[in-house]
DNA sequence: TTACCTGCAAAAGTTTTGCGCCTCA
DNA sequence: TGAGGCGCAAAACTTTTGCAGGTAA
């Protein structure tokens, strides 16, 4: 366990869910010399060790969070806000998938996409925002 | 409506859900001179017109499909198989989210991740496969 | 002409790889 | 000495942008 790795773990914990680049910025605020390569390598290692996990928020960038930090992500593809919801929200769906398709759902790995309560109701959701 | 655009539409329809690169390969099998830039630009245009939509299957690459081609995608992050399920599977969840959080779910935009019936039960899902 | 579409080339952004150096046991 | 971790540079890959030429109304 090197200082760099500890910093990456701390950053993941502090930021909740963040992209490798955000994590790198956070780490560099404490230790400016740390290279982004190290961040990528460390995240890869930590993930293999099961200490962190990554989630796809929809627009390209994977975000990393603690393994324990489990909830469903709701991403508004109008304003980009990421909300969190309890995982038991998915219980019914998970059960149905298991029974009907034999599919074992991993509720935390992907974010659900849609429009949050604060965003205006638009007939056509702008595809630009959902990248 | 140019020949290139028609080819892109055909490719999207034929492939079901495919990445820009796969679509480009398909188009080029009919017209080798077509540039991938054109594919990107055309997909962007078609999406703005509401003729195609894209879905995030989890591992970085967005996939494009016909607008009418609506279902929930189930991605196995062990073998990578993409399964399709009827959207009404999500009705209960969508209703609950709307009521409890005011969140308007877009059921087709993201894929659900997990392990399909054909893949062996592993305690730890290999993070490598879930990129 | 005017507007738009295309192909090519280059740029930009993100992630991975190679390599030499350093540290620590 | 040997293994592993780090930083730097470069490569690889995906997507976007700028530009010049071509086509059609």
């Amino acid at each position: 366990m090197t200082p760099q790795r500890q910093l990456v773990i701390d950053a993941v914990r502090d930021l909740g869910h963040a992209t490798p680049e955000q994590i790198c910025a956070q780490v560099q605020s404490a230790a400016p010399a740390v290279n982004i390569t190290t961040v990528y390598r460390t995240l890869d290692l930590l993930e293999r060790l099961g200490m962190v996990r990554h989630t796809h928020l929809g627009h390209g960038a994977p975000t990393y969070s603690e393994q324990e930090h489990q909830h469903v992500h709701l991403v508004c593809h109008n304003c980009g806000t990421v909300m969190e919801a309890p995982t038991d929200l998915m219980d019914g769906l998970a059960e149905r998938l298991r029974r009907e398709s034999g599919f074992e759902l991993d509720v935390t790995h992907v974010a659900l996409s849609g429009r949050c309560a604060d965003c205006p109701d638009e007939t056509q959701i702008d595809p630009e925002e959902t990248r």
Side-chain angles (χ1 to χ4, degrees), chain A:
Chain A
M1 178 53 60
T2 66
Q4 287 91 337
R5 292 184 180 174
Q6 189 57 54
L7 285 169
V8 170
I9 295 173
D10 292 345
V12 169
R13 185 163 302 147
D14 292 348
L15 296 173
H17 38 78
T19 63
E21 215 165 348
Q22 290 171 321
I23 292 166
C24 186
Q26 172 82 1
V27 168
Q28 289 181 340
S29 72
V34 175
N35 197 280
I36 191 163
T37 306
T38 302
V39 174
Y40 276 106
R41 280 195 282 229
T42 303
L43 287 173
D44 199 58
L45 173 73
L46 294 176
E47 184 154 42
R48 228 184 298 269
L49 293 176
M51 298 180 63
V52 305
R53 54 164 51 223
H54 76 271
T55 304
H56 294 279
L57 253 40
H59 23 277
T63 65
Y64 287 79
S65 54
E66 290 178 87
Q67 181 69 16
E68 294 73 29
H69 185 79
Q70 292 218 351
H71 34 237
V72 177
H73 295 97
L74 305 175
V75 181
C76 174
H77 48 209
N78 195 300
C79 65
T81 303
V82 179
M83 294 170 21
E84 300 175 349
T87 55
D88 61 13
L89 201 70
M90 308 285 274
D91 284 354
L93 174 64
E95 169 59 26
R96 224 181 121 187
L97 280 174
R98 187 179 305 122
R99 204 172 46 233
E100 295 178 11
S101 324
F103 189 84
E104 200 64 35
L105 184 63
D106 175 4
V107 295
T108 64
H109 186 66
V110 288
L112 297 175
S113 194
R115 185 167 22 76
C116 74
D118 296 338
C119 279
D121 190 354
E122 295 167 24
T123 319
Q124 171 84 25
I125 293 169
D126 184 357
E128 275 311 293
E129 305 297 329
T130 64
R131 281 283 166 76

